[in-house]
């Protein structure tokens, strides 16, 4: 069959005519890439989404760790500062108690009363600041000795009902956020049998 009898697409003009296989154009089949599982891992493309997720998690862990470290650093600084203020606070407390005794005994002049009032104002401000920071004075008198929060400096003879109780507070003890900031130094009663 001649090319004159074929249409543009290579089909014969007459319906009954058959095409010779040699005259048919070659049809190219699309090439399909078949990846073998034996390809080395280096040729695989990196998974950027997985890298992003890991990087995000690493950054989140870093942020949490620095926040914990910052909180610990601030708590340590607060503790250090409070420990330096405690001796002055203790002196104020003791002087306030002495002035209250003098006033109750009627030995307080007008000028001494003014000093006492000023001392009370300073004490109230310190107490407010300590309370805001979670610092509290331990109430230990007439309570059982607690080795976790108190240091015994002496033991004195006592009655049976005062055995093991704190009878005197030599140095005040303080807690900060429920933890011992400074242990109380105490004198404990000891009942001697016999």
């Amino acid at each position: 069959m001649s090319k004159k009898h074929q249409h543009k697409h290579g089909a014969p003009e007459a319906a009954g005519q058959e095409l010779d296989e040699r005259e048919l154009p070659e049809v190219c089949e699309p090439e399909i890439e078949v990846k073998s599982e034996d390809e080395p891992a280096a040729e695989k493309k990196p998974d950027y989404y997985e890298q992003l997720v890991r990087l995000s998690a690493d950054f989140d862990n870093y942020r949490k760790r620095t926040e914990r470290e910052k909180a610990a650093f601030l708590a340590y600084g607060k503790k250090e500062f409070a420990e330096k203020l405690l001796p002055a606070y203790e002196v104020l407390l003791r002087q306030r108690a002495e002035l209250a005794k003098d006033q109750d005994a009627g030995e307080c002049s007008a000028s001494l009363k003014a000093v006492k009032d000023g001392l009370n104002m300073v004490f109230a401000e310190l107490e407010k600041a300590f309370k805001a920071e979670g610092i509290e004075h331990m109430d230990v008198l007439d309570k059982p000795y607690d080795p976790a929060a108190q240091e015994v400096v002496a033991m004195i003879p006592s009655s049976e009902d005062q055995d093991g109780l704190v009878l005197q507070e030599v140095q005040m003890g303080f807690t900060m956020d429920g933890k011992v900031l400074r242990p109380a130094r105490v004198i404990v009663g000891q009942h001697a049998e016999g």
Side-chain angles (χ1 to χ4, degrees):
M1 183 182 282
S2 68
K3 290 186 179 181
K4 293 179 186 175
H5 299 294
Q6 290 184 356
H7 281 287
K8 190 177 185 180
H9 300 291
E13 283 183 13
Q17 295 177 345
E18 290 185 24
L19 292 175
D20 187 6
E21 287 183 19
R22 290 176 292 182
E23 293 180 8
L24 290 176
E26 286 186 32
V27 179
C28 295
E29 292 185 23
E31 292 182 22
I32 300 174
E33 287 185 37
V34 179
K35 292 183 180 179
S36 68
E37 293 179 13
D38 299 335
E39 285 185 30
E43 291 182 20
K44 292 184 180 178
K45 293 184 179 178
D47 186 2
Y48 293 114
Y49 179 74
E50 186 177 317
Q51 288 178 358
L52 178 66
V53 169
R54 284 185 184 173
L55 184 62
S56 177
D58 287 345
F59 181 74
D60 194 41
N61 290 338
Y62 167 77
R63 184 183 50 78
K64 288 176 184 177
R65 185 179 70 244
T66 55
E67 285 174 2
R68 282 191 307 266
E69 289 172 354
K70 180 181 175 184
F73 181 71
L74 289 174
Y76 178 76
K78 182 171 84 169
K79 181 179 183 255
E80 287 279 314
F81 185 67
E83 286 175 340
K84 290 176 183 174
L85 283 179
L86 289 179
Y89 182 70
E90 185 176 4
V91 168
L92 283 173
L93 282 173
R94 292 192 188 279
Q95 289 305 312
R96 187 175 103 164
E98 288 297 318
L99 286 173
K101 285 180 191 175
D102 290 346
Q103 188 174 9
D104 291 343
E107 301 173 5
C108 191
S109 67
S111 62
L112 197 54
K113 185 177 180 326
V115 169
K116 181 183 175 244
D117 291 342
L119 189 63
N120 281 336
M121 286 189 279
V122 170
F123 175 75
E125 288 301 315
L126 270 175
E127 198 167 55
K128 190 188 319 178
F130 276 11
K131 187 175 240 176
E133 296 300 324
I135 299 169
E136 297 178 5
H137 172 246
M138 287 186 229
D139 184 22
V140 296
L141 286 176
D142 298 321
K143 296 198 170 129
Y145 165 69
D146 178 9
Q150 302 160 7
E151 294 176 6
V152 176
V153 294
M155 298 190 80
I156 58 174
S158 66
S159 62
E160 189 175 341
D161 60 327
Q162 291 181 325
D163 188 39
L165 295 181
V166 175
L167 300 179
Q168 290 180 350
E169 186 179 39
V170 176
Q171 180 182 10
M172 294 178 176
F174 294 91
T175 60
M176 184 170 75
D177 298 325
K179 297 177 184 171
V180 176
L181 178 61
R182 183 175 84 178
R185 302 183 82 199
V186 297
I187 296 174
V188 178
Q190 183 178 27
H191 177 68
E193 294 182 26

